[in-house]
Amino acid sequence: MERTCGNAELSLKDVGKKVVLVGWCAKKRNLGGLTFIDLRDRSGIIQITVREGVEIPDVRSEYVIQVFGTVNKKDVPNKNLKTGEIEVIASKIILINKAETTPIIIDDKTDALEDTRLKYRYLDLRRPVMQGYLIKRAKIVQAVHEYLDNNGFIEVETPILTLSTPEGARDYLVPSRVHHGKFYALPQSPQMFKQLLMIAGFERYYQVARCFRDEDLRADRQPDFTQIDMEMSFMDQDQVLTMMEGLLKNIFKKVNNVDIKLPLRRMEYLEAMSKYGSDKPDTRFELYLHDIKEYVKNSAFKAFSDNKYVKAVIIPNYADKVSRKVTDELSLEMKKFSLPGIIALKVVDNKLDGSVVKFLDENTQNVLLKELALKNNDIVFIAASDSFSDICFGLGAIRSRYARELSLIKENTYDLLWVVHWPLFEMSKETGKITSSHHPFTRPCDEDLKYLASEPLKVFSQAYDIVINGYEAGGGSMRIYNQDTQKEIFKILGLSDEDVKRRFGFFIDAFKYGTPPHAGIAFGLDRLSMILNGTNNIRDVIAFPKNLNAVCPMSGAPEIVDQEQIDDLGISINKE
Ligand code: ASP
């Protein structure tokens, strides 16, 4: 089709040029003898001016047209358009295709409900802001290819129909037609395959990999998502992190022209939890959790004397803004973190004030005032618990809430750091069973191996997460490369020899044949795209996402299928 360039590629330097443009009619105005059409294509919008005497076909919103004309300098520039200094004076307009009235307005600003936008996603994606998100996402992938190709990584695809990968989520299962009663699992990640590629000798692997996890959805989660998945042999943790920092630097520079300073900060998991109340700390603002057990351990208040941990977060000069209703609300919110509630102390006339104060002797009150450097109108939120993670996460939520409320978070900054040295295992609240904090292939720290059999919860691991602005943007670990240690980990996780053989037999077997020390990581492409696009909705950066009910409102997936198809699979549906 005849076309000379994209609309928004034109500028003042093209004045006088004859052009042929194509696109959608974004707007049409008729002013006496003059007609103006805003013509939109992927590059942007340009104003087409049609003078009297030039024949205009019936052009309405979202009609597809072709315009022949000449670039002209506008007398009065339109500051709202990138091409606002010019216009194209049309000599001929051809109607290519008509359009019905669209159910959503094709404009950056929309008040359409998200389900309507998802139902008509192809129209939603016609909005320039949405195209911008996906274009930036594509640039990230480009920057990834560029860096990894230059650094000796080989791109390899791994199967989608496979066995379960233990990443801690529920699997999507695919029944086999050929082998009734047997199921493939969609990969939660290519974890085992990429390790096998290391055993195979590829040394450096990567893949822009689709992964599937059947989890409850949140704003930053989708059932199918994309990881930039990598694995490396013969590198220690420092070398891996340095290699990954180079990748992040390339992405930020190429995509957003931001120079990130290397090396990135490396924070121990325990510090992140204890000081920031999060395993993905947002360090863009200075509000910290304080350990105050030492100061209150002898108080008459049982919650303080009996619990292993007592921690506080101070919101400076804010006591007069926090009503009883708010503290009650916060107390209720703490239940989510298995904490009984929150205690609020205010500083009034240089003294502590609050219902718990009567249980604190004068000395304790003074110690708190002094050690926490409290000032008038400060408010201190205190929690007590025997669980380190509950108390940290609970107070961390309060820390984040007030950071938002007080606008403490510096906008347009990127805060990147590594969180390292994680516990190898954790106790699942749901099942009461020991589970891997990362996944079962993560290498324990050498110095903790002695506790593996007797006190596994004491063992730390050589795992690392990359955190950007409080989001977990990626994570990985040094891997176990010894068959016996791997078997032992499976045993600790409660897997019987039979389970191990059935689920991981092929994998463990491979370790016999000369396994190089190796390590890997995966970045969440969707999350990176969110962060670099400055949106907090993961669906904005995925072309055809599911809604929070894991449904695609456009295609209707998941859908019922023909009985014949079900019969073919040898399964039956429980109708209840
Ligand atoms: N497979 C891991 C994940 O999906 C990443 C890794 O350890 O490389 O989180």
Side-chain angles (χ1 to χ4, degrees):
M1 170 170 261
E2 197 179 351
R3 180 189 196 180
T4 50
C5 60
N7 298 335
E9 286 162 19
L10 293 170
S11 66
L12 270 182
K13 66 174 185 346
D14 298 303
V15 168
K17 241 191 211 163
K18 283 202 172 344
V19 292
V20 185
L21 304 177
V22 290
W24 289 261
C25 167
K27 210 190 306 170
K28 188 174 121 189
R29 294 173 310 281
N30 213 321
L31 289 185
L34 283 179
T35 303
F36 300 106
I37 295 171
D38 281 355
L39 185 70
R40 180 194 339 100
D41 68 3
R42 195 181 75 193
S43 68
I45 286 177
I46 193 158
Q47 181 183 293
I48 310 293
T49 304
V50 197
R51 293 185 177 143
E52 227 165 347
V54 175
E55 200 183 318
I56 313 180
D58 177 23
V59 175
R60 302 180 193 190
S61 283
E62 301 312 317
Y63 278 30
V64 184
I65 57 175
Q66 186 179 33
V67 176
F68 296 76
T70 309
V71 181
N72 187 39
K73 181 173 185 300
K74 269 171 76 91
D75 297 336
V76 187
N78 176 353
K79 293 207 175 65
N80 299 322
L81 283 186
K82 188 180 151 210
T83 55
E85 284 178 307
I86 52 170
E87 63 189 342
V88 168
I89 309 288
S91 55
K92 187 163 96 180
I93 296 184
I94 295 175
L95 173 63
I96 298 173
N97 212 345
K98 293 183 176 181
E100 286 189 14
T101 307
T102 53
I104 62 171
I105 293 170
I106 314 294
D107 191 17
D108 280 355
K109 283 204 186 64
T110 174
D111 54 7
L113 293 178
E114 200 181 23
D115 255 23
T116 314
R117 288 176 45 206
L118 293 181
K119 180 159 189 223
Y120 299 99
R121 189 58 160 180
Y122 44 89
L123 295 178
D124 192 37
L125 290 177
R126 201 182 280 172
R127 297 192 302 128
V129 63
M130 296 300 290
Q131 296 201 345
Y133 289 150
L134 292 188
I135 289 167
K136 200 168 257 196
R137 182 188 171 109
K139 279 195 181 150
I140 297 175
V141 177
Q142 238 177 348
V144 167
H145 283 299
E146 178 189 58
Y147 180 87
L148 294 178
D149 293 345
N150 285 339
N151 280 281
F153 285 73
I154 310 291
E155 189 175 10
V156 183
E157 284 161 78
T158 54
I160 295 291
L161 294 175
T162 175
L163 288 188
S164 175
T165 20
E167 296 280 1
R170 204 178 281 121
D171 289 320
Y172 278 102
L173 297 175
V174 181
S176 162
R177 181 184 56 80
V178 184
H179 307 281
H180 282 182
K182 293 195 171 176
F183 294 82
Y184 301 98
L186 303 184
Q188 291 188 31
S189 82
Q191 186 60 38
M192 283 189 277
F193 290 105
K194 64 174 173 172
Q195 290 193 237
L196 291 170
L197 288 170
M198 294 303 103
I199 297 176
F202 280 88
E203 297 195 21
R204 290 181 186 184
Y205 140 95
Y206 83 103
Q207 178 179 195
V208 181
R210 302 305 299 274
C211 305
F212 308 85
R213 298 185 190 177
D214 190 359
E215 293 182 286
D216 291 335
L217 303 187
R218 292 193 306 235
D220 60 351
R221 258 199 207 154
Q222 279 282 301
D224 44 343
F225 59 97
T226 310
Q227 285 188 345
I228 302 159
D229 194 46
M230 292 159 279
E231 197 75 11
M232 291 147 265
S233 292
F234 307 117
M235 287 170 81
D236 59 30
Q237 180 167 318
D238 241 14
Q239 291 169 317
V240 171
L241 299 193
T242 304
M243 176 67 81
M244 292 300 109
E245 288 177 359
L247 172 58
L248 288 163
K249 191 175 177 68
N250 195 52
I251 295 173
F252 274 76
K253 183 70 190 170
K254 295 284 159 57
V255 176
N256 271 8
N257 197 23
V258 166
D259 288 299
I260 55 171
K261 259 187 72 196
L262 300 183
L264 299 179
R265 176 171 173 189
R266 292 169 196 192
M267 188 186 288
E268 298 255 330
Y269 163 86
L270 284 180
E271 182 186 350
M273 289 290 282
S274 180
K275 196 166 163 192
Y276 299 89
S278 173
D279 52 11
K280 35 183 185 299
D282 189 338
T283 57
R284 284 175 298 174
F285 55 94
E286 292 182 11
L287 210 58
Y288 307 115
L289 274 50
H290 302 267
D291 284 313
I292 61 165
K293 172 75 186 176
E294 198 47 36
Y295 314 140
V296 297
K297 64 179 181 206
N298 296 323
S299 86
F301 193 55
K302 273 184 101 42
F304 288 175
S305 51
D306 291 3
N307 279 292
K308 197 163 162 199
Y309 304 100
V310 185
K311 289 175 82 75
V313 62
I314 305 159
I315 314 299
N317 198 20
Y318 209 57
D320 55 348
K321 305 279 188 322
V322 182
S323 64
R324 178 66 197 267
K325 190 170 156 261
V326 171
T327 44
D328 286 351
E329 248 172 54
L330 285 175
S331 261
L332 212 61
E333 197 189 321
M334 291 302 106
K335 305 265 186 291
K336 273 197 284 189
F337 303 97
S338 311
L339 296 174
I342 199 85
I343 293 153
L345 294 180
K346 295 184 174 185
V347 186
V348 180
D349 294 334
N350 297 314
K351 285 202 172 65
L352 289 178
D353 185 49
S355 54
V356 168
V357 171
K358 58 178 178 287
F359 300 108
L360 307 175
D361 61 32
E362 213 177 304
N363 181 43
T364 308
Q365 292 185 35
N366 286 336
V367 168
L368 283 175
L369 284 165
K370 181 164 163 261
E371 295 296 335
L372 298 178
L374 296 175
K375 298 195 188 59
N376 271 330
N377 204 30
D378 287 353
I379 181 160
V380 189
F381 292 107
I382 303 176
S385 173
D386 276 336
S387 156
F388 177 71
S389 51
D390 287 347
I391 193 167
C392 292
F393 284 136
L395 286 178
I398 294 185
R399 174 181 182 265
S400 304
R401 173 190 167 127
Y402 283 99
R404 283 192 302 271
E405 198 166 313
L406 294 163
S407 306
L408 299 180
I409 304 170
K410 287 179 217 116
E411 294 299 328
N412 303 322
T413 51
Y414 294 107
D415 173 60
L416 294 95
L417 69 136
W418 292 105
V419 174
V420 298
H421 200 231
W422 291 68
L424 185 63
F425 298 111
E426 58 195 33
M427 202 49 105
S428 159
K429 276 206 170 141
E430 283 132 49
T431 61
K433 285 193 192 145
I434 205 164
T435 56
S436 297
S437 307
H438 191 46
H439 53 54
F441 314 115
T442 301
R443 199 187 306 170
C445 289
D446 293 339
E447 64 275 20
D448 295 337
L449 278 173
K450 53 184 180 287
Y451 306 119
L452 201 52
S454 53
E455 292 175 273
L457 288 171
K458 247 175 118 165
V459 178
F460 279 81
S461 71
Q462 303 182 48
Y464 33 78
D465 267 8
I466 181 76
V467 178
I468 309 178
N469 293 357
Y471 283 106
E472 179 200 332
S477 59
M478 305 299 291
R479 320 295 190 197
I480 297 164
Y481 57 98
N482 168 296
Q483 202 187 20
D484 294 331
T485 315
Q486 188 63 72
K487 276 189 185 155
E488 192 169 350
I489 299 281
F490 283 136
K491 208 158 105 199
I492 294 169
L493 291 170
L495 293 170
S496 67
D497 288 349
E498 221 159 89
D499 279 343
V500 171
K501 208 164 158 215
R502 181 172 50 85
R503 293 182 54 191
F504 310 112
F506 69 102
F507 182 68
I508 296 207
D509 260 3
F511 279 60
K512 288 192 278 204
Y513 301 107
T515 303
H518 58 288
I521 188 165
F523 293 164
L525 175 62
D526 311 291
R527 291 215 184 133
L528 263 182
S529 305
M530 271 168 72
I531 295 165
L532 287 160
N533 271 306
T535 164
N536 53 18
N537 181 348
I538 202 162
R539 296 178 294 282
D540 281 346
V541 296
I542 297 177
F544 299 103
K546 313 275 185 299
N547 66 14
L548 284 174
N549 292 321
V551 165
C552 167
M554 183 182 70
S555 66
E559 253 305 354
I560 50 169
V561 294
D562 295 340
Q563 188 57 43
E564 223 171 279
Q565 285 176 288
I566 294 178
D567 294 343
D568 269 355
L569 296 169
I571 56 177
S572 68
I573 306 287
N574 184 349
K575 292 269 161 47
E576 270 158 49

